[in-house]
């Protein structure tokens, strides 16, 4: 990932006011099981609207934009389960995105992967408000949940080999988790000038595909617990 990111995706200046303003917050999940876990965690707080946005970047972006166009929100959050990179994010833990990166948006070249940033066609990188992300992470740790902040990758094809996992970890130093929707939610939010966040509970390790090792019920329980801090923090 290039260290230089341009912000050509920005449609308007970001509004940073979230906490304490009473703004509604949109939470976008990909499947009903994630939505239900998030709703259980929120405990009926009316400030949050939780939707099923669909699987993949395009579905997530379209669903987020449709919702943001018809109601007033203060922020958008992508939430769900994900694969974790073993070093920072063990199975059962929670990752709060410090940045949201479309890790496969770019071009293959004879010299390797070239990001859309390096190509000069926009940015695959959406920054996250560091102070708010850290506050969310600390609130989770206080429950206590095992939680860390780190880059969350958005991919169209979920990683299934050790080689791809190693390549992604090298491409995005410190990468903590990978999923399929965060970048779509974040780009849509920024079109409306809103801050975006991503929260992922870890159901499996990024690498060789081994369904038997996935811990989806545990990850959904961790997602529920993680979302219980949001009414207080946001």
């Amino acid at each position: 990932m290039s260290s230089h990111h341009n912000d050509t995706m920005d449609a308007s200046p970001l509004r940073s006011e979230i906490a304490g303003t009473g703004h509604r917050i949109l939470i976008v999940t990909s499947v009903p099981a994630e939505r239900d876990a998030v709703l259980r965690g929120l405990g009926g707080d009316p400030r949050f609207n939780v939707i099923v946005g669909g699987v993949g970047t395009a579905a997530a972006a379209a669903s987020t934009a449709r919702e943001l166009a018809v109601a007033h929100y203060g922020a958008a959050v992508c939430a769900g389960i994900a694969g974790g990179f073993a070093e920072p994010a063990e199975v059962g833990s929670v990752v709060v995105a410090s940045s949201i990166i479309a890790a496969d948006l770019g071009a293959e070249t004879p010299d390797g992967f070239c990001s859309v940033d390096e190509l000069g066609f926009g940015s695959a990188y959406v920054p996250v408000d560091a102070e708010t992300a850290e506050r969310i992470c600390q609130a989770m740790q206080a429950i206590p949940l095992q939680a860390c902040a780190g880059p969350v990758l958005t991919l169209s094809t979920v990683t299934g080999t050790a080689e791809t996992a190693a390549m992604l970890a090298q491409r995005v130093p410190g990468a903590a988790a990978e999923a399929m929707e965060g970048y779509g939610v974040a780009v849509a939010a920024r079109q409306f000038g809103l801050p975006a966040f991503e929260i992922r509970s870890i159901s499996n390790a990024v690498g060789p595909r081994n369904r038997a090792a996935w811990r989806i019920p545990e990850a959904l329980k961790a997602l529920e617990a993680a979302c219980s801090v949001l009414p207080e923090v946001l």
Side-chain angles (χ1 to χ4, degrees), residues 110-203:
D111 299 318
F113 178 78
C114 189
S115 75
V116 72
D117 301 69
E118 292 161 327
L119 293 169
F121 298 142
S123 184
Y125 171 91
V126 181
V128 171
D129 180 70
E131 191 179 320
T132 305
E134 186 56 35
R135 213 163 56 235
I136 294 170
C137 193
Q138 288 175 352
M140 290 176 184
Q141 291 167 347
I143 293 181
L145 266 179
Q146 187 181 345
C148 71
V152 176
L153 312 187
T154 300
L155 297 164
S156 295
T157 303
V158 171
T159 300
T161 67
E163 291 78 16
T164 302
M167 179 188 68
L168 290 170
Q170 185 176 20
R171 188 180 297 172
V172 184
E178 70 163 33
M180 303 176 79
E181 295 82 24
Y183 181 76
V185 173
V187 169
R190 287 173 76 83
Q191 290 284 333
F192 288 83
L194 297 176
F197 301 93
E198 186 167 7
I199 296 167
R200 293 288 179 178
S201 60
I202 304 305
S203 60

Side-chain angles (χ1 to χ4, degrees), residues 2-15:
S2 164
S3 60
H4 170 72
H5 309 292
N6 65 47
D7 288 320
T8 51
M9 72 170 66
D10 295 358
S12 57
L14 284 180
R15 299 201 297 271

